[in-house]
Amino acid sequence: MKGRIVILATGGTIAGVGNPGKTMGYTPGSLTAGELLETVPQLKDIAPIETVQVCNVNSDDITAGVWITLANTINTMAEDPDVQGFVITHGTDTLEETAYFLSLTVKTEKPVVITGSMRPSTSISPDGSMNLYESVCVAASQEAAGHGVLVVFSDRIYSARYVTKTSTYHLMAISAGETGAAGFVRDGRVYFMYGRPEKVLPEDSAFDVSRLTDLPKVSIVYFAVDADPQFLRYAAEHSEGLVIAGAGAGEFSRAYQAVIRELTIPVVISSRIDDGVITKENLLCENTIAAGNRSPRKAAVLLRLALTKSSDRAYLEELFSGY
Ligand code: ASP
């Protein structure tokens, strides 16, 4: 008898309900975890399933509190020898942030898989049922253990570290840029064909959130031509750290540079281009930290967690220089 797969449901389009046949104008986070389960009767052939309704929201309303609940629930339930793995159902808008947060806070070697869908459950040919089925297959597979948090979407398996949303509408809306997919799923069989994500990143599972209820606030400020640097001042006054989504290799205007040099809170420089890397050599302001190949969104997740430990510059620099 196989161990249980725990499905932690948080809402999103995968639990969305709307006009029959339509792909837009629906309400995300409508189906309960139990109702979601009923849409895929084949799940019971894979393993016994337990459901936990963590919340039921559009993923734009996910909070650090939900992240912490997810991490602590997984860390506690993973101690049960009858639990084989976890699947989290989530909206695609912020799936990559939740996935990265969990990869930094989940302590178990058991598979943890996150999925979602682009079409609501009431559309023609919804993708949520297949994504859920394939995620449970991955969570139930021995090969998925010990490789950090995974994202399963449109038949492919990705590492949480690299995954990002790449389309506002089509079904292949999740991708992993230069690193690509780790593998795929066909008719319930799991293939780690392109190399399993290895847990070699220094920051993997580096944070303990068992006593936390929230995270320090970090704001992301986007740069574009003629961007008003006053936003930087406002954001800095209301945050414990900043991430700048700079142009190109993390660059911005002289007006931005002048304000950034005045800031005393940690400022991490990322790029509005998702592909590529920002290193120390790219930095325009001495008081800033390079985000490496983390998008502004992922840099903000890491900075929020890092600030629970320290705002020491050397610590942050070392953390962000890790790959
Ligand atoms: N707005 C939705 C959400 O993130 C989109 C989706 O799930 O695809 O919850």
Side-chain angles (χ1 to χ4, degrees):
M1 186 67 179
K2 277 203 169 172
R4 290 185 333 268
I5 302 295
V6 181
I7 298 180
L8 300 140
T10 70
T13 297
I14 191 165
V17 170
N19 285 339
K22 300 288 185 204
T23 55
M24 290 193 288
Y26 60 92
T27 309
S30 299
L31 295 183
T32 63
E35 288 168 334
L36 204 54
L37 204 61
E38 282 167 21
T39 66
V40 196
Q42 295 82 352
L43 289 179
K44 65 174 178 340
D45 302 334
I46 307 169
I49 310 281
E50 176 180 351
T51 56
V52 179
Q53 189 79 53
V54 177
C55 58
N56 211 358
V57 298
N58 184 343
S59 75
D60 304 288
D61 290 318
I62 290 285
T63 60
V66 174
W67 288 347
I68 291 167
T69 302
L70 278 171
N72 290 338
T73 306
I74 292 169
N75 286 335
T76 305
M77 292 185 90
E79 283 170 23
D80 181 342
D82 292 335
V83 169
Q84 152 73 25
F86 300 87
V87 171
I88 299 152
T89 56
H90 199 287
T92 59
D93 289 353
T94 62
L95 184 148
E96 66 206 67
E97 285 151 83
T98 300
Y100 187 43
F101 170 85
L102 291 175
S103 76
L104 296 165
T105 53
V106 159
K107 311 286 178 207
T108 181
E109 297 285 296
K110 294 181 180 179
V112 177
V113 178
I114 310 191
T115 195
S117 80
M118 290 302 286
R119 292 180 184 154
S121 66
T122 41
S123 66
I124 298 169
S125 184
D127 53 329
S129 321
M130 188 57 120
N131 285 346
L132 180 58
Y133 177 74
E134 293 186 339
S135 296
V136 171
C137 293
V138 173
S141 78
Q142 297 301 332
E143 303 100 291
H147 297 284
V149 175
L150 302 170
V151 174
V152 171
F153 211 90
S154 292
D155 308 327
R156 292 202 172 129
I157 308 165
Y158 301 97
S159 161
R161 172 69 168 77
Y162 302 111
V163 85
T164 191
K165 185 168 183 179
T166 52
S167 170
T168 59
Y169 73 96
H170 66 66
L171 294 190
M172 303 283 283
I174 298 284
S175 181
E178 285 174 345
T179 60
F184 57 89
V185 189
R186 289 295 277 165
D187 276 343
R189 274 195 68 184
V190 176
Y191 301 83
F192 278 97
M193 208 63 127
Y194 314 126
R196 291 180 224 176
E198 296 299 333
K199 293 184 77 180
V200 293
L201 308 168
E203 76 268 35
D204 265 350
S205 299
F207 300 96
D208 180 2
V209 293
S210 59
R211 276 160 224 246
L212 301 181
T213 53
D214 205 351
L215 293 178
K217 185 170 160 189
V218 165
S219 299
I220 301 174
V221 183
Y222 196 95
F223 174 74
V225 169
D226 279 339
D228 184 347
Q230 296 308 329
F231 281 114
L232 290 165
R233 286 210 173 89
Y234 179 87
E237 270 166 33
H238 293 85
S239 314
E240 290 175 53
L242 286 192
V243 174
I244 312 294
E251 302 207 17
F252 30 76
S253 63
R254 278 177 294 183
Y256 252 50
Q257 291 175 43
V259 174
I260 288 171
R261 284 201 181 93
E262 288 168 15
L263 301 178
T264 51
I265 57 171
V267 181
V268 173
I269 307 300
S270 180
S271 175
R272 60 188 202 177
I273 306 172
D274 273 353
D275 246 7
V277 60
I278 312 238
T279 63
K280 219 172 171 176
E281 294 72 26
N282 296 119
L283 298 176
L284 298 176
C285 302
E286 325 54 53
N287 59 332
T288 59
I289 296 152
N293 63 358
R294 295 172 193 83
S295 67
R297 306 169 291 288
K298 288 194 172 163
V301 171
L302 183 57
L303 183 55
R304 294 184 78 180
L305 277 166
L307 291 174
T308 64
K309 283 188 163 178
S310 166
S311 57
D312 175 68
R313 210 186 137 71
Y315 163 69
L316 293 175
E317 269 178 356
E318 205 196 314
L319 191 65
F320 275 89
S321 68
Y323 292 93

